[in-house]
Amino acid sequence: MTKDSGSTGSGGTGSTGSTGATTAPPVTEAQYQAALTATDGALAAAVRNVGAARTPATVTAAIDALRQSVDTEADRLSAISSPVPVRDAHFSLVVALRGLSRELSGGDLDPVCAGSSALSLISRGTQLANVRSAAQTLATADPAHPYTIGSFAPKSTNDAKRRLGNGTLIKRASGGLGQLKISNGGSTDSVISVVPSNAKKATVTVYVRAKGKYTVRGIRDATYRVYMTSGADWDAKARTFTRDCAFEQFDDTFEFTTTSRQYTIWEITLTPVVGGNATSSTVDPDAFPVG
């Protein structure tokens, strides 16, 4: 290996290279609005994907995809030479998008379990407020051309607190005589799914509020596994709690049989009981059977 000494060059006059960068001419008003519209559309699609997520893992993935989209669009807009009257407003929009990306990568998503709560959390962020402000400034910076962007940004909303009534049957059992008595002594609402041991879909699913009790009737003879999920804010469309969620399964199975004289009645308690004889295990949220 060799290492050459730096060249010192000779004295005398000579030509020097150009040090200035060539600035691209501004795009036309129509081209600029088209770029803003494209950004709006790309980010709106990413926001919709966040809202559609229904498990903690898919929420995390959708938010990461949204962050990447924000980075991409910020880079694309940064490369544009905007019309002169809105140059400062354009710069502010790019800065706000950069800030939104940082906020999305550093947000506290631990209590979030589904997309609707994720969007509420994002909507209240400081950087998204900056994006809305930049969009408003851009709309008025040139009275002759009210540029529009920002429809992708969800309005600031508080966390929802949706609940079903105690004993609401999300999926109703039919045809049997078996019963399952449920006691929820905990401080959070729960949803219980009764699933045949050889199936993946529940035969009955019921909502039991905190401190509530309910008896499920009409369970056919078979051996079942019992699953439970608990949390806050039940999203009926996503069929999951959107915050502070937990997913579990009773380790034992439950056999229901009917004779000419009797039928099976099982009783379960959803909170730990001193001297209780049932244990449970954590379940992958993606595998939780609601219906």
Side-chain angles (χ1 to χ4, degrees):
M1 290 174 45
T2 63
K3 181 178 180 181
D4 296 329
S5 61
S7 173
T8 59
S10 60
T13 61
S15 62
T16 59
S18 174
T19 59
T22 302
T23 302
V27 296
T28 66
E29 289 82 1
Q31 289 172 330
Y32 185 58
Q33 181 58 68
L36 296 177
T37 300
T39 291
D40 230 353
L43 296 183
V47 167
R48 285 194 297 272
N49 288 338
V50 173
R54 61 174 305 272
T55 66
T58 55
V59 167
T60 298
I63 290 177
D64 188 56
L66 172 59
R67 180 191 58 76
Q68 293 180 41
S69 292
V70 171
D71 281 339
T72 297
E73 294 307 313
D75 288 344
R76 194 169 65 82
L77 291 179
S78 180
I80 292 175
S81 180
S82 65
V84 173
V86 298
R87 189 151 293 172
D88 288 344
H90 173 77
F91 177 77
S92 295
L93 175 64
V94 172
V95 170
L97 289 173
R98 301 282 193 212
L100 176 59
S101 173
R102 291 191 299 272
E103 193 166 72
L104 289 172
S105 64
D108 181 9
L109 299 175
D110 288 343
V112 176
C113 305
S116 55
S117 268
L119 288 184
S120 292
L121 180 64
I122 292 169
S123 77
R124 300 192 299 271
T126 300
Q127 298 303 325
L128 193 60
N130 290 342
V131 170
R132 296 190 195 97
S133 178
Q136 291 174 353
T137 300
L138 194 59
T140 58
D142 181 359
H145 298 93
Y147 298 106
T148 60
I149 189 174
S151 65
F152 71 88
K155 294 181 179 179
S156 179
T157 57
N158 294 324
D159 288 334
K161 299 178 181 179
R162 296 165 288 184
R163 303 174 75 191
L164 298 181
N166 187 63
T168 298
L169 289 167
I170 298 169
K171 185 172 184 179
R172 185 181 299 273
S174 61
L177 295 176
Q179 298 181 14
L180 179 64
K181 294 184 176 182
I182 303 165
S183 177
N184 181 7
S187 59
T188 56
D189 294 358
S190 294
V191 168
I192 295 85
S193 289
V194 182
V195 182
S197 58
N198 60 350
K200 293 184 178 180
K201 292 186 177 182
T203 189
V204 59
T205 303
V206 62
Y207 191 103
V208 182
R209 285 194 172 194
K211 309 301 182 184
K213 296 182 179 181
Y214 187 76
T215 298
V216 177
R217 305 176 189 276
I219 300 176
R220 294 177 180 271
D221 288 356
T223 300
Y224 295 89
R225 291 169 287 124
V226 175
Y227 295 81
M228 53 197 158
T229 179
S230 60
D233 182 43
W234 178 258
D235 186 331
K237 184 176 181 180
R239 306 181 83 178
T240 187
F241 291 105
T242 72
R243 296 188 306 278
D244 303 313
C245 57
F247 299 85
E248 297 178 272
Q249 172 191 344
F250 278 92
D251 294 328
D252 293 333
T253 57
F254 296 76
E255 184 177 359
F256 288 80
T257 57
T258 302
T259 68
S260 59
R261 294 186 177 184
Q262 61 185 21
Y263 53 86
T264 302
I265 301 175
W266 283 100
E267 297 185 37
I268 59 173
T269 301
L270 304 185
T271 50
V273 176
V274 176
N277 60 356
T279 59
S280 62
S281 302
T282 301
V283 174
D284 184 349
D286 289 311
F288 187 86
V290 177

